[in-house]
């Protein structure tokens, strides 16, 4: 093969470089504008320096005059510094809060990084870090002592984590777990929810069909109301008689709606077989029983009459009382956390009403009510935190949760510091 001369090589190299630069600058103004849109949306909440520097690099490499966008170089510094300030504020907030529970060295390193970027006084930075590092280390030592012994109250009756499907009945699943643990037999969460939604007003609405209100959540004390209603109904219904799961390829909501529509669509039913949807929810109801019930039921009462039949005999809840503990008027959660520890030490599980957003992000500031049960406690030496074992009702997957947590088939070890920040109340059966 013939070799090429040195100057010929430089010519081709220069041509390739020019072509590459031209290619990389294609559509550069759109890229700058798109990145700037992202920066302007987020610079007050997070560090956007890498994005700003990307804009600067594009403008320099491709010789774009930023004045055509109405910007000056000072705007870039403003975007960067505002983002640094936002990150500094988050680092301070997290350092000061978490120092009440654990070593906050990672949060303080973040504080140092952004304080330095903002050219704060080094002595002021060191003083702040020293204060909260000392507090955090002392808290970690105290928490390790208080978080003993390790407790895990999961048992065969509770079984695997349940799945509430697409329905807002978390309060009923938590209540069913409390009753299951108390009685030693698995209680139907659907029955607990139906009892919560039972009443003159709700039954009047059912005359025109199960409305969305039937499938929605409850108030922060709704779980206790649901258990009280279940008690008044005659007791708890077994899961084996009224299924909360095992809905085949359907959901709880679609199955109940389909059963509800059986009467409304046909008026009367004369099939000698029990519809498969009824068997999925009420496995003990036979065809003859279903036909008899459907003949006597009104359009509003078919499901409740099926439930009454399937749930006999109910498990007595005599003596069952629900007690609540909530944060103080000023938001102090000390007594709530003490109550959790007391009940766990007495081998009793609790229901936790809390902000669901903390399941996705432990530092979230968004709101979203949810209910789960607390079934254990441990001190996690790897992160230096006392953690509670939260048994959720979103199935046995773990992909939805903040990766900071340890998840075991839908049971999530959530730090006490996060529980304290998100708790609405805790409740338990006395």
């Amino acid at each position: 093969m013939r070799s090429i001369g040195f100057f010929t090589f430089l010519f081709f190299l220069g041509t390739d470089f020019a072509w590459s630069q031209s290619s990389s600058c294609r559509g550069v103004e759109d890229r700058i504008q798109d990145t700037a849109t992202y920066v302007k949306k987020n610079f007050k909440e997070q560090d956007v320096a890498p994005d700003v520097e990307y804009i600067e690099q594009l403008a320099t490499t491709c010789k774009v005059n930023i004045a055509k966008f109405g910007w000056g170089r000072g705007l870039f510094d403003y975007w960067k510094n505002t983002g640094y300030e936002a990150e500094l504020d988050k680092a301070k907030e997290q350092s000061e809060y978490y120092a009440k529970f654990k070593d906050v060295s990672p949060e303080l390193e973040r504080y140092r990084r952004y304080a330095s970027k903002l050219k704060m006084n080094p002595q002021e930075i060191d003083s702040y870090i020293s204060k909260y590092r000392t507090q955090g280390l002392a808290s970690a030592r105290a928490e390790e002592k208080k978080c003993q012994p390790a407790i895990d109250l999961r048992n065969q009756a509770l079984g695997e984590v349940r799945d509430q499907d697409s329905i807002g009945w978390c309060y009923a699943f938590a209540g069913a777990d409390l009753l299951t643990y108390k009685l030693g037999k698995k209680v139907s969460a659907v029955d607990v929810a139906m009892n919560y939604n039972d009443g003159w007003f709700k039954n009047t609405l059912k005359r025109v069909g199960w409305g969305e209100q039937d499938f929605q959540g409850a108030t922060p004390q709704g779980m206790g109301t649901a258990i009280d209603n279940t008690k008044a109904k005659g007791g708890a219904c077994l899961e084996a008689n009224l299924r909360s799961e095992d809905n085949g390829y359907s959901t709880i909501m679609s199955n109940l709606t389909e059963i509800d529509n059986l009467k409304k669509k046909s008026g009367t039913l004369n099939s000698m077989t029990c519809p498969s949807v009824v068997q999925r929810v009420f496995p003990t109801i036979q065809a003859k029983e279903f036909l008899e019930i459907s003949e006597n039921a009104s359009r509003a009462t078919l499901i409740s009459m099926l439930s009454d039949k399937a749930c006999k005999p109910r498990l007595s809840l005599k003596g069952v009382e629900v007690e609540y503990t909530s944060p103080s008027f000023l938001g102090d959660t000390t007594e709530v956390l003490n109550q959790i520890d007391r009940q766990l030490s007495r081998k009793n599980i609790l229901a936790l009403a809390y902000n669901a957003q903390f399941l996705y992000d432990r530092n979230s500031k968004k709101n979203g009510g949810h209910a789960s049960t607390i079934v254990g406690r441990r001190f996690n030496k790897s992160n230096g935190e006392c953690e509670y074992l939260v048994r959720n009702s979103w199935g046995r997957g773990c992909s939805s949760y903040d990766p900071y947590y340890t998840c075991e088939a839908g049971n999530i070890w959530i730090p006490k510091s996060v529980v304290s920040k998100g708790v609405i109340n805790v409740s338990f059966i006395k």
Side-chain angles (χ1 to χ4, degrees), residues 30-49:
D30 288 339
R31 277 184 279 158
I32 288 175
Q33 194 67 268
D34 289 345
T35 307
T37 298
Y38 173 83
V39 169
K40 285 186 279 188
K41 181 180 178 181
N42 294 285
F43 77 101
K44 293 183 180 180
E45 298 177 1
Q46 66 187 53
D47 181 1
V48 293

Side-chain angles (χ1 to χ4, degrees), residues 247-317:
N247 287 280
Y249 294 104
S250 303
T251 64
I252 301 170
M253 183 187 296
S254 60
N255 279 339
L256 290 174
T257 302
E258 186 177 343
I259 293 172
D260 190 50
N261 286 335
L262 287 174
K263 182 75 175 179
K264 296 183 179 67
K265 287 181 178 178
S266 59
T268 59
L269 295 165
N270 52 24
S271 170
M272 292 305 295
T273 60
C274 189
S276 60
V277 65
V278 175
Q279 293 263 278
R280 286 199 296 270
V281 180
F282 303 99
T284 62
I285 297 288
Q286 302 301 313
K288 182 179 178 180
E289 294 171 319
F290 172 69
L291 289 171
E292 181 180 332
I293 290 169
S294 66
E295 284 297 321
N296 293 313
S298 70
R299 294 179 63 187
T301 61
L302 176 59
I303 290 179
S304 62
M305 289 180 69
L306 289 169
S307 172
D308 289 343
K309 176 65 178 178
C311 291
K312 289 180 180 178
R314 288 179 172 269
L315 303 179
S316 173
L317 297 182

Side-chain angles (χ1 to χ4, degrees), residues 164-173 189-191 193-198 202 205-206 208-219 242-244 247 251-261 264 281 303 369-370:
Q164 69 185 75
D165 267 350
S166 56
I167 206 162
W169 287 349
C170 57
Y171 67 94
F173 279 79
V190 166
D191 181 65
M194 288 171 65
N195 295 334
Y196 175 81
N197 285 296
D198 200 16
K202 291 293 182 77
L205 293 176
K206 288 187 179 76
V208 292
W210 272 48
E212 286 297 319
Q213 71 282 343
D214 291 301
F215 299 117
Q216 292 172 357
T219 66
L242 204 178
R243 288 176 176 163
S244 309
N247 287 280
T251 64
I252 301 170
M253 183 187 296
S254 60
N255 279 339
L256 290 174
T257 302
E258 186 177 343
I259 293 172
D260 190 50
N261 286 335
K264 296 183 179 67
V281 180
I303 290 179
H370 188 50

Side-chain angles (χ1 to χ4, degrees), residues 67-87:
K68 71 190 304 178
F69 297 101
W71 307 333
R73 291 284 171 183
L75 182 61
F76 292 165
D77 291 336
Y78 171 67
W79 283 342
K80 286 183 184 179
N81 287 332
T82 303
Y84 294 157
E85 289 168 357
E87 295 289 356

Side-chain angles (χ1 to χ4, degrees), residues 115-180:
S116 299
K117 286 179 181 292
L118 290 166
K119 298 180 172 54
M120 288 175 57
N121 185 312
Q123 290 182 328
E124 181 183 343
I125 296 173
D126 290 341
S127 175
Y128 183 91
I129 289 174
S130 176
K131 175 182 177 180
Y132 287 103
R133 176 170 289 139
T134 300
Q135 181 182 341
L137 290 171
S139 296
R141 289 192 293 269
E143 284 296 309
E144 186 170 12
K145 291 180 181 178
K146 289 167 60 179
C147 201
Q148 303 296 337
I151 297 169
D152 189 338
L153 301 178
R154 286 175 287 185
N155 61 23
Q156 188 173 357
L158 285 172
E160 295 181 312
V161 166
R162 305 194 198 210
D163 189 347
Q164 69 185 75
D165 267 350
S166 56
I167 206 162
W169 287 349
C170 57
Y171 67 94
F173 279 79
D177 273 358
L178 291 194
L179 292 174
T180 296

Side-chain angles (χ1 to χ4, degrees), residues 12-26 31 61-62:
F12 282 116
L13 178 64
T15 303
D16 288 345
F17 176 75
W19 180 87
S20 176
Q21 185 179 32
S22 172
S23 177
S24 67
C25 289
R26 190 171 299 144
R31 277 184 279 158
T61 302
C62 299

